[in-house]
Amino acid sequence: EIPKEISHLIELEELDLADNSFNGRLDMDIFNMSGLRVVSLTNNTLSGNLPPNMCSILPNIERFYMSFTNLVGTIPYSISKCSKLTILELSYNKLTGLIPNSLGYLTHLQYLNLGGNNLTSDLSLSFLTSLTNSRNFTVLDISLNPLNGMLPASMGNLSTYLRKFIANSCKIQGLIPNEVGNLSNLLFLDLSGNNLVGSIPTTIGNLRNLQRFNLSNNKLTGFVGDHICKLQRLGDIYLDQNRLSGSLPNCLGNITSLREIHLGSNKLSSNIPPSLGNLQDLVVLDLSSNNMVGLLPPEIGNLKAITKMDLSMNQFSNGIPREIGGLQNLAHLSLRHNKLQGSIPDSMRTM
Ligand SMILES: *[C@@H]1O[C@H](CO)[C@@H](O)[C@H](O)[C@H]1NC(C)=O
Ligand SMILES: *[C@@H]1O[C@H](CO)[C@@H](O)[C@H](O)[C@H]1NC(C)=O
Ligand SMILES: *[C@@H]1O[C@H](CO)[C@@H](O)[C@H](O)[C@H]1NC(C)=O
Ligand SMILES: *[C@@H]1O[C@H](CO)[C@@H](O)[C@H](O)[C@H]1NC(C)=O
Ligand SMILES: *[C@@H]1O[C@H](CO)[C@@H](O)[C@H](O)[C@H]1NC(C)=O
Ligand SMILES: *[C@@H]1O[C@H](CO)[C@@H](O)[C@H](O)[C@H]1NC(C)=O
Ligand SMILES: *[C@@H]1O[C@H](CO)[C@@H](O)[C@H](O)[C@H]1NC(C)=O
């Protein structure tokens, strides 16, 4: 157990006990050294909960890390009294109940991770609206919680400093609001594994700094659309396991930063645009399980960095272009279940 005598260290400002095997029931009262600014208890086998008076015990806390610690109970509404908090890390515990709207009083908050708990919210995810008060907010992770709500338009009013919005596997329903496009400094957007419907908002074209875009495993319909091609820093596109139809945009070949394209298990029905061959750094191309047609363009032989190419379960026809033999980094290739014919090119012998 953490020795109670620790509370005699009355000058203590930072306490890091992370990654140990402290156990027993957490008694927050032992941290009543009023000067504590930083506490990390992450990754211990503690039990217990966050007491409603935690902010009177830790009035000056700025950074509080307590993930992987078996915490139970709710996040107390009174958390708002820890008014100097900039980092609150409570991921991978067993917290239940509502994400309190009082988090919005933490105007200095920059980083909030509540992922991997059993937290819920109301239908309009109103805690997101509250968090629009935190003007320096940069990272939000609420993944793997049964939130069961809909993204509010007010999410577009979150801080313009927001860099990561991670909300995968949260049972989020409804549309992706157009206002998502207001988060102009986002680097990572992950809304995968939810029940989102409707189409990808055209406003995502405003997320000029986006590097990773993950809407995989939802129920999105409509076209991928050309707006995605405005994202000239995009590295990874994950749009697999949706109901997207129409064509693979021609302009994808202009996003030369692309490294992974995951568009498998949709209803795409076009051919592969030859311009895709411009993607010199592309490592993964997954177009499997669509209705794509036409011939495999010889330009795919220019994808020199590619290690995985899955074009299976489509309607591609004609022969395998001999240029495929130039893909010397390719480790996984599937052309299974298409309408390809002719001979297997000799050039493949040296792959
Ligand atoms: C927890 O700490 C141990 C070392 O005590 C480390 O090996 C392990 O990777 C840590 N787990 C997590 C989830 O950080
Ligand atoms: C913290 O609690 C202990 C035990 O109740 C008490 O002796 C001590 O005076 C308290 N310290 C502060 C700084 O409040
Ligand atoms: C936001 O960050 C800036 C720069 O670090 C700092 O000066 C300012 O006080 C912060 N504002 C809030 C509300 O925390
Ligand atoms: C999550 O909370 C619900 C009630 O809100 C409960 O029925 C369920 O067992 C909890 N799940 C876990 C993994 O704790
Ligand atoms: C966003 O903030 C502006 C300015 O405070 C406000 O007028 C607008 O209603 C907010 N939008 C939403 C959707 O809440
Ligand atoms: C926020 O997004 C909405 C919907 O796309 C748009 O009408 C509005 O102008 C945007 N606001 C700002 C401040 O960019
Ligand atoms: C995107 O989301 C899917 C489904 O949640 C997940 O398997 C995949 O690892 C995610 N990709 C990245 C780069 O986070």
Side-chain angles (χ1 to χ4, degrees):
E1 296 195 10
I2 302 172
K4 292 195 173 7
E5 291 74 11
I6 207 164
S7 66
H8 298 165
L9 307 174
I10 57 171
E11 304 277 340
L12 210 59
E13 294 181 21
E14 303 195 13
L15 175 63
D16 187 352
L17 302 176
D19 300 329
N20 279 294
S21 302
F22 286 112
N23 56 33
R25 209 184 145 72
L26 177 73
D27 177 8
M28 202 73 90
D29 286 328
I30 68 175
F31 301 123
N32 66 351
M33 308 77 104
S34 57
L36 271 177
R37 292 184 293 106
V38 184
V39 172
S40 177
L41 300 171
T42 285
N43 191 13
N44 282 285
T45 37
L46 301 166
S47 61
N49 52 12
L50 297 171
N53 65 342
M54 79 174 259
C55 298
S56 23
I57 301 168
L58 293 166
N60 288 304
I61 193 79
E62 293 169 17
R63 289 179 265 154
F64 188 72
Y65 304 89
M66 202 160 173
S67 55
F68 296 101
T69 49
N70 297 324
L71 271 180
V72 297
T74 59
I75 303 175
Y77 191 85
S78 57
I79 190 102
S80 55
K81 296 196 175 130
C82 297
S83 61
K84 296 182 178 171
L85 267 180
T86 58
I87 295 180
L88 181 58
E89 166 61 270
L90 298 173
S91 63
Y92 295 97
N93 283 296
K94 292 172 181 153
L95 295 167
T96 53
L98 294 174
I99 299 178
N101 287 348
S102 62
L103 287 171
Y105 292 114
L106 300 173
T107 51
H108 299 295
L109 201 61
Q110 296 175 9
Y111 176 103
L112 177 63
N113 191 348
L114 303 177
N117 281 290
N118 197 4
L119 295 163
T120 57
S121 183
D122 47 15
L123 187 60
S124 61
L125 304 182
S126 55
F127 72 92
L128 285 176
T129 307
S130 308
L131 286 169
T132 62
N133 292 323
S134 309
R135 298 319 297 162
N136 278 353
F137 206 46
T138 53
V139 175
L140 175 66
D141 189 336
I142 46 175
S143 58
L144 294 155
N145 281 292
L147 298 181
N148 273 311
M150 310 209 308
L151 292 169
S154 58
M155 77 180 275
N157 277 347
L158 286 166
S159 147
T160 52
Y161 294 108
L162 197 66
R163 292 182 165 260
K164 299 188 185 180
F165 189 106
I166 316 287
N168 58 289
S169 315
C170 290
K171 298 186 163 48
I172 298 173
Q173 321 149 26
L175 305 172
I176 303 174
N178 290 335
E179 286 76 4
V180 71
N182 296 13
L183 302 173
S184 54
N185 281 305
L186 269 190
L187 302 180
F188 295 171
L189 178 61
D190 188 345
L191 299 173
S192 65
N194 285 297
N195 295 316
L196 294 165
V197 297
S199 54
I200 302 171
T202 57
T203 54
I204 57 124
N206 298 333
L207 305 179
R208 299 294 167 99
N209 294 305
L210 203 64
Q211 294 174 11
R212 182 175 293 164
F213 184 43
N214 198 342
L215 299 180
S216 141
N217 200 0
N218 278 290
K219 294 174 179 152
L220 299 170
T221 51
F223 302 151
V224 176
D226 284 355
H227 297 274
I228 201 168
C229 302
K230 295 185 193 153
L231 310 182
Q232 287 291 324
R233 296 189 176 156
L234 205 52
D236 305 326
I237 301 178
Y238 287 78
L239 292 173
D240 53 299
Q241 299 182 75
N242 279 291
R243 296 164 188 176
L244 299 168
S245 56
S247 61
L248 191 64
N250 225 326
C251 59
L252 274 190
N254 299 339
I255 317 178
T256 51
S257 52
L258 272 175
R259 296 177 58 84
E260 300 199 19
I261 298 177
H262 297 262
L263 268 164
S265 299
N266 277 292
K267 298 177 172 176
L268 301 179
S269 55
S270 69
N271 56 356
I272 297 182
S275 57
L276 221 60
N278 296 342
L279 303 177
Q280 297 289 315
D281 294 325
L282 197 68
V283 180
V284 177
L285 177 63
D286 182 359
L287 301 174
S288 62
S289 299
N290 279 288
N291 296 316
M292 297 187 74
V293 297
L295 46 77
L296 302 180
E299 287 82 356
I300 62 174
N302 298 337
L303 301 171
K304 298 293 184 203
I306 202 150
T307 64
K308 180 174 179 184
M309 181 151 66
D310 190 347
L311 306 179
S312 64
M313 308 284 284
N314 279 292
Q315 318 257 13
F316 293 119
S317 54
N318 290 71
I320 302 174
R322 76 183 151 70
E323 288 79 359
I324 211 166
L327 303 180
Q328 291 295 322
N329 289 308
L330 199 56
H332 305 273
L333 172 65
S334 182
L335 302 175
R336 184 174 64 89
H337 208 298
N338 276 290
K339 295 178 172 168
L340 296 166
Q341 51 182 293
S343 55
I344 295 174
D346 222 28
S347 61
M348 292 185 78
R349 265 193 310 170
T350 57
M351 292 178 79

